[in-house]
Amino acid sequence: MSRNTPEEIAAGIRAICGEVHQRQPGAKTVLMAIFPRGPKPDATRGKLEAINKLLAELDGKDGITFLDIGAKFLEPDGSIARETMGDFLHPTAKGYEIWARELEPVLNKLLGETKP
């Protein structure tokens, strides 16, 4: 990620989404924002925010639903707790619980399902 600009990274993801749409025009795609990383806010997080802002522009186009749940992984001071991401990059069981909780209603909506 350090070699490419936010625009280049977003363009690559846009190209992948375009290829999916071309091959499966009826597909519904949930495009997740890149999760925050690192113990505290820093330049890398700033770059991720820039990428995610560009990716958000894809929401509603070609069957894409953009979902940014990054803030759900953060503590009030912007840090990431080891309980949520043990290495400050990969979710722990608690992190996956957060992810599942936030993703479930989006999937239910896209699949036309309602919870009893």
Side-chain angles (χ1 to χ4, degrees):
M1 185 176 83
S2 62
R3 287 184 260 153
N4 298 94
T5 67
E7 294 77 15
E8 290 169 336
I9 293 167
I13 295 169
R14 252 192 315 275
I16 292 167
C17 291
E19 186 68 23
V20 169
H21 181 68
Q22 181 181 349
R23 293 181 188 210
Q24 295 292 325
K28 297 175 183 177
T29 302
V30 177
L31 176 59
M32 301 291 302
I34 302 170
F35 292 163
R37 59 186 67 181
K40 296 178 182 176
D42 61 8
T44 298
R45 285 213 207 157
K47 185 174 183 179
L48 295 178
E49 288 175 21
I51 296 165
N52 288 337
K53 185 175 180 182
L54 293 168
L55 295 179
E57 296 173 4
L58 297 175
D59 188 51
K61 298 177 182 170
D62 297 332
I64 295 171
T65 299
F66 179 74
L67 181 60
D68 185 353
I69 63 169
K72 302 292 182 178
F73 296 109
L74 302 178
E75 298 299 309
D77 67 355
S79 66
I80 296 175
R82 284 201 182 270
E83 296 170 344
T84 306
M85 293 182 174
D87 60 357
F88 305 114
L89 175 62
H90 301 96
T92 60
K94 179 182 176 184
Y96 279 109
E97 287 174 16
I98 293 167
W99 192 349
R101 181 182 67 233
E102 298 299 319
L103 184 57
E104 182 179 25
V106 174
L107 294 177
N108 286 337
K109 180 180 176 186
L110 290 173
L111 297 172
E113 299 174 6
T114 56
K115 266 187 127 172

